Amino acid sequence: MRHLMSPLDLSVEELDTLMDLAGDIEKHPDKYAHICDGKRLATLFYEPSTRTRLSFEAAMMNLGGQVIGFSSADSSSASKGESVADTIRVVSCYADICAMRHPKEGAPLVASMASSIPVINAGDGGHQHPTQTLTDLLTIRSLKGHFDNLTIGLCGDLKFGRTVHSLIEALVRYNNVKFTLISPEELRVPSYIREDVLKKNHVEFQEVERLEDALPDLDILYMTRVQKERFFNEEDYVRMKDFYILDKQKMELAKDDMYILHPLPRVNEIATEVDSDPRAAYFKQAQYGVYVRMALILTLLEVKLPC
Ligand code: CP
């Protein structure tokens, strides 16, 4: 039985296979419409979510399966003090696979150790968000056709942004991927990403503060939200929240084929006037999230695929 805690739980070859499967699901959805008949997904969300929870639920329904779960800790017995280990032991009796989001780093890992069904980390605190990374990779591959030799700009909250950490870890495995890390001093990537992921893998990267300086060289710009829920005080959040606003004027500095990704939700960091730019790929990205989660469910459940 396999779980997914980090994008590194899948080899590059397995990622390719998964993205090929997601591509086939996109092209031939009818082939997969009953492949999970009789199977159940449990969505255990101890933290708010729109895309991840609903795209997991849509994914299982698209496969013919059913969904059970809760969307907040308050509406589960966590509010009475039940541990994630006890919760997953019980949920293992009710479902075949589980997606868990939790505000505490490592909680899905703890759950996986007590589980008798596959557990998918659907975001744990400021740590990892592997299924967002699968979504991001599928989006980049669909738009660019490859990962090698791309210059990727990551902008915003690089300190607490779990999507950023997971994406960097996944992309360093490809050839000659370069990173431009765009953030205020206080929100730079954690040192383990700089030292143990980027430097250790001899990956070329630069850290800059001004988005305008970085834009002309980028192939992909990955914008992120400054996350209010990760700040310890309101004052720091207010100071940082509008540090970056991508608007039409700034987009004039970018290449004609520089695509903008964002895990969403967006607050102010991308002006809505950018949404009509053909390079704005963030809503398409959310759609890819369904295909890739369908492919992941099939992979972890080891479902026999149609020809
Ligand atoms: N991208 C993402 O994780 O969105 P949600 O928080 O809405 O799930």
Side-chain angles (χ1 to χ4, degrees):
M1 186 179 60
R2 288 185 76 176
H3 308 287
L4 184 78
M5 295 296 122
S6 148
L8 301 186
D9 292 343
L10 295 166
S11 68
V12 169
E13 293 72 28
E14 285 173 322
L15 274 176
D16 276 347
T17 305
L18 189 89
M19 285 188 270
D20 289 344
L21 176 57
D24 195 57
I25 289 168
E26 180 185 6
K27 282 198 206 94
H28 308 288
D30 292 348
K31 255 169 65 178
Y32 299 89
H34 294 287
I35 197 165
C36 280
D37 280 357
K39 301 274 186 204
R40 279 200 199 128
L41 165 75
T43 51
L44 310 185
F45 277 60
Y46 295 82
E47 201 185 50
S49 166
T50 296
R51 271 145 299 277
T52 311
R53 186 170 64 83
L54 297 184
S55 65
F56 260 117
E57 295 187 358
M60 192 48 148
M61 289 178 195
N62 290 347
L63 296 168
Q66 293 172 308
V67 181
I68 57 173
F70 52 81
S71 58
S72 72
D74 288 349
S75 62
S76 78
S77 287
S79 61
K80 303 172 200 161
E82 187 173 48
S83 67
V84 291
D86 281 0
T87 301
I88 195 69
R89 275 189 199 108
V90 172
V91 170
S92 295
C93 307
Y94 306 152
D96 302 284
I97 187 165
C98 157
M100 176 183 284
R101 170 169 290 188
H102 203 287
K104 284 202 183 134
E105 286 84 356
L109 180 64
V110 170
S112 72
M113 293 190 284
S115 179
S116 51
I117 59 173
V119 176
I120 301 167
N121 177 2
D124 60 331
H127 185 218
Q128 294 275 345
H129 194 345
T131 63
Q132 181 63 47
T133 301
L134 301 182
T135 304
D136 302 339
L137 293 177
L138 181 63
T139 308
I140 294 171
R141 196 178 82 157
S142 303
L143 295 169
K144 291 287 186 186
H146 60 92
F147 301 108
D148 295 346
N149 305 313
L150 293 178
T151 300
I152 314 270
L154 299 130
C155 178
D157 177 0
L158 310 188
K159 181 178 180 182
F160 300 112
R162 59 193 175 197
T163 62
V164 167
H165 308 156
S166 290
L167 184 58
I168 293 174
E169 287 198 357
L171 281 170
V172 296
R173 298 191 288 179
Y174 295 91
N175 293 322
N176 195 33
V177 175
K178 300 186 191 111
F179 293 96
T180 303
L181 306 174
I182 310 151
S183 74
E185 179 70 27
E186 294 92 328
L187 295 179
R188 288 169 67 184
V189 288
S191 61
Y192 83 89
I193 293 285
R194 192 178 302 107
E195 303 299 326
D196 300 342
V197 181
L198 293 166
K199 288 188 184 169
K200 204 169 177 178
N201 287 288
H202 310 289
V203 174
E204 197 176 320
F205 72 98
Q206 56 171 337
E207 295 186 271
V208 302
E209 197 167 281
R210 274 172 50 84
L211 176 58
E212 293 87 333
D213 296 343
L215 268 170
D217 295 325
L218 303 181
D219 298 306
I220 296 286
L221 172 61
Y222 193 89
M223 291 295 290
T224 63
R225 168 178 71 98
V226 174
Q227 302 174 85
K228 189 176 183 185
E229 64 273 29
R230 310 271 178 238
F231 278 81
F232 293 113
N233 70 68
E234 177 88 9
E235 199 182 305
D236 283 350
Y237 168 70
V238 169
R239 199 162 42 82
M240 301 284 165
K241 73 182 174 71
D242 292 331
F243 206 93
Y244 298 107
I245 298 179
L246 182 67
D247 56 17
K248 267 188 171 173
Q249 200 182 348
K250 290 199 187 79
M251 282 303 292
E252 285 174 17
L253 300 168
K255 292 180 191 170
D256 291 342
D257 61 350
M258 185 214 75
Y259 292 100
I260 312 157
L261 273 63
H262 192 312
L264 303 176
R266 151 185 59 188
V267 186
N268 289 329
E269 60 279 2
I270 303 178
T272 52
E273 65 184 16
V274 177
D275 296 355
S276 55
D277 189 306
R279 295 167 290 183
Y282 29 92
F283 291 115
K284 182 77 184 155
Q285 186 183 354
Q287 175 66 52
Y288 283 126
V290 178
Y291 306 134
V292 89
R293 288 182 175 99
M294 290 170 74
L296 180 65
I297 289 169
L298 294 176
T299 303
L300 294 183
L301 286 178
E302 299 179 350
V303 174
K304 190 173 176 327
L305 298 175
C307 305

